[in-house]
Amino acid sequence: MLIGWRHFVGLAIAGVAAAFLIAWSGIFGIGASSGHWKATDWFLHWAMRASVRTAALGTEVPAFSEGMLPMAAGHFERGCAICHGSPAMARPHSVRHMLPAPPDLKGLIPTWSDAELFQIVQHGVRFTGMPAWPVAGREDEAWAMVAFLRRYPALDAEGYRALAGFSGNQSQAMDRIVGTCNGCHAAERLGPDSLTPRLAWQSETYLADALAAYDKGTRPSGIMAVAIQGLNEADRQALARHFAGETRGNVSPDEDEQIIERGKMLAMQGDPARRIPACLSCHDKTDGNPAYPRLSGQPGGYIANQLRLFVAGNRGGGPFQALMARASENLEEDDIVALASYFAARPSK
Ligand code: HEC
Ligand code: HEC
Ligand code: HEC
């Protein structure tokens, strides 16, 4: 007798029924304490590597810059070290009994490509506790983390602390909180290609609006969402007041006069033919609306990144974000570079 398709269907149905029967019987433990069988362990990890490899196919890897590292390192300290440990801290005992236990990353990073690390950081790993990036739509933040992970295996405790702006974790005492903010935002930690903004000289109104926007999620940033978690509205207002009162540090100069000049023209006059408004009609006016941020003296890397986010429709923001979304919709990449160079070099007073 030939084995017909009916036999296969019959077998498949019997298989599914048996699987349900075994699951229903409850003999599979779901407790994490007993661990997986060696074979299950091997299989799950193999399946995870295969799935990451496939998902990473065709991913375009952007250029990495030094400016990506400090904010990613600071976020690693707050959002990742609690599970993976860090060069400055062994893995906490509480997580060593997770199943699977979060591994020490030092030896593992070199086994992944940039595109694969991006998949892991952006999407997390299902069934393991490895979380996805805290917000959607911020691939640029996940890429900054990948740039940092590449550097990670070579970091000792001291190098890691220096990069992460180490000041321990948040506590409710205001000066301790300000210390954690300055771990990323202090003017002396920022360079021309930083993706982290300066806060000083911004109005209290704008800073408070921005913090509220991160809290509500109308301005998505995984890094800032984690940095302010646990703070209430009064804390945010106090922080906005604190940073608005500070004087602004030095401006990061840009070399290329021609590019700066092009940025200046756009900022002052806009380009009516391409429906780009004059930026200075809203920004950096002495009698301007305090809800509009100041741009002069901000790192060029930050300005350019925010403009790209606006153009891509991912920036979000506070109550007036729609104005800026409209103002930026026709900007091209060269405009963005020129405008960022101009505002970074423009004296902040
Ligand atoms: C709640 C705990 C937890 C947190 C927080 C966490 N991870 Fe993980 N991570 C895990 C676990 C568990 C795995 C193991 C997954 C596996 O082996 O299938 C993992 C795996 C990884 C891997 C792959 C390592 C390998 O080769 O198996 C990388 C890279 C990684 N995490 C990076 C990060 C980064 C970066 C952050 C912070 C943005 C982070 N993780 C936050 C639990 C965590
Ligand atoms: C781990 C690094 C890190 C820490 C810690 C951190 N920030 Fe930030 N902050 C950033 C980055 C990166 C951005 C830009 C995020 C984006 O793309 O929207 C940012 C943006 C901001 C903005 C928006 C400014 C603007 O010009 O729009 C404010 C306000 C702010 N942070 C305040 C704070 C305060 C207050 C604290 C302390 C409670 C803090 N940050 C802690 C990295 C950090
Ligand atoms: C109609 C008024 C208006 C015009 C014109 C305008 N902007 Fe804005 N811009 C805003 C507002 C309002 C925000 C704050 C959005 C938010 O976060 O809620 C903003 C935010 C920004 C930010 C983010 C700053 C930060 O600290 O995160 C940048 C960068 C920026 N604008 C650049 C420009 C440039 C460059 C131009 C000219 C092409 C321009 N803007 C034209 C109103 C305007």
Side-chain angles (χ1 to χ4, degrees), residues 190-211:
L190 303 178
D193 61 353
S194 287
L195 305 187
T196 309
R198 289 186 183 180
L199 304 179
W201 207 53
Q202 219 49 282
S203 74
E204 184 177 332
T205 310
Y206 175 70
L207 292 177
D209 282 354
L211 291 173

Side-chain angles (χ1 to χ4, degrees), residues 19-106:
F20 268 105
L21 205 67
I22 292 173
W24 170 83
S25 75
I27 59 172
F28 267 139
I30 58 158
S33 54
S34 52
H36 285 314
W37 293 328
K38 275 251 157 8
T40 326
D41 231 6
W42 173 85
F43 177 77
L44 288 178
H45 200 74
W46 175 80
M48 176 253 199
R49 290 202 79 99
S51 138
V52 169
R53 200 186 321 117
T54 306
L57 289 178
T59 306
E60 234 180 89
V61 180
F64 294 159
S65 68
E66 290 292 311
M68 292 172 155
L69 304 178
M71 67 175 198
H75 181 70
F76 190 93
E77 173 60 19
R78 283 165 192 81
C80 317
I82 45 162
C83 282
H84 291 290
S86 77
M89 180 185 89
R91 268 176 309 156
H93 279 282
S94 52
V95 304
R96 293 190 196 175
H97 295 285
M98 280 173 61
L99 190 64
D104 181 345
L105 295 178
K106 190 171 176 151

Side-chain angles (χ1 to χ4, degrees), residues 71 74-75 78 138 141 177 180-181 184-185 195-197 199 202 206-207 210-211 214 219 221 223-224 227-228 231 239 243 298 302 306 309 315:
M71 67 175 198
H75 181 70
R78 283 165 192 81
R138 291 302 305 263
E141 290 188 331
I177 299 176
T180 69
C181 310
C184 287
H185 286 285
L195 305 187
T196 309
L199 304 179
Q202 219 49 282
Y206 175 70
L207 292 177
L211 291 173
Y214 288 127
R219 180 173 175 184
S221 162
I223 289 174
M224 274 306 296
I228 60 167
L231 301 181
L239 286 164
F243 284 106
Q298 212 43 298
Y302 174 73
Q306 297 297 304
L309 289 168
R315 163 56 160 70

Side-chain angles (χ1 to χ4, degrees), residues 202 206 219 276-279 281-283 292-293 295 298 302-303 306-307 310 315-318 320-321 323-324 327 331 339 343:
Q202 219 49 282
Y206 175 70
R219 180 173 175 184
I276 296 171
C279 318
S281 65
C282 288
H283 290 286
Y292 299 175
L295 306 177
Q298 212 43 298
Y302 174 73
I303 297 176
Q306 297 297 304
L307 289 174
F310 274 119
R315 163 56 160 70
F320 300 99
Q321 56 166 298
L323 292 177
M324 184 57 207
L331 292 177
L339 286 162
F343 280 110

Side-chain angles (χ1 to χ4, degrees), residues 15 130 162 270:
M130 169 64 204

